Amino acid sequence: MVAITFIEYNGTAHQVEGPEGATAMETAVRNGVPGIVAECGGACACATCHVYVDEAWANKVGEPSEMEEGMLDFATDVRPSSRLSCQIKLTAALDGLVLNIPETQG
């Protein structure tokens, strides 16, 4: 299992675990993490699972694909660390990942 800490905009932390191969979004939804809406169910067809990757994890998570960048155009308050959590596949290298959730989605 891969541990992820989701931090809400108000500072509330949610520590959850998901299996390797799942996405950060799937893990958030399965564990009831507030703020991850996931309207499209992980198809990279909306921006309602937007997160900010903690600076310490940026290199391990990597850059968004061209398709993901296009969807981020629909997100609110996009930053250099913005990613769609449906596009972050969990691997052993991401154990301990920290993702911050924006105040609003979409």
Side-chain angles (χ1 to χ4, degrees):
M1 297 296 272
V2 178
I4 308 173
T5 300
F6 288 91
I7 302 174
E8 293 182 63
Y9 72 94
N10 64 7
T12 303
H14 302 271
Q15 295 177 334
V16 298
E17 290 185 338
E20 287 188 51
T23 66
M25 181 223 66
E26 291 167 337
T27 303
V29 170
R30 285 186 188 132
N31 287 280
V33 175
I36 302 295
V37 180
E39 287 180 357
C40 76
C44 196
C46 72
T48 61
C49 68
H50 178 210
V51 293
Y52 305 119
V53 177
D54 185 86
E55 187 176 317
W57 291 93
N59 288 336
K60 287 186 180 181
V61 170
E63 297 293 320
S65 67
E66 189 174 313
M67 182 172 76
E68 182 180 352
E69 284 183 355
M71 290 313 306
L72 282 167
D73 288 342
F74 298 100
T76 303
D77 194 20
V78 175
R79 301 176 186 175
S81 62
S82 288
R83 291 293 307 269
L84 297 180
S85 60
C86 68
Q87 299 302 296
I88 300 173
K89 290 270 187 186
L90 301 183
T91 65
L94 294 181
D95 189 40
L97 177 64
V98 177
L99 300 172
N100 294 281
I101 304 169
E103 186 171 1
T104 60
Q105 292 285 357

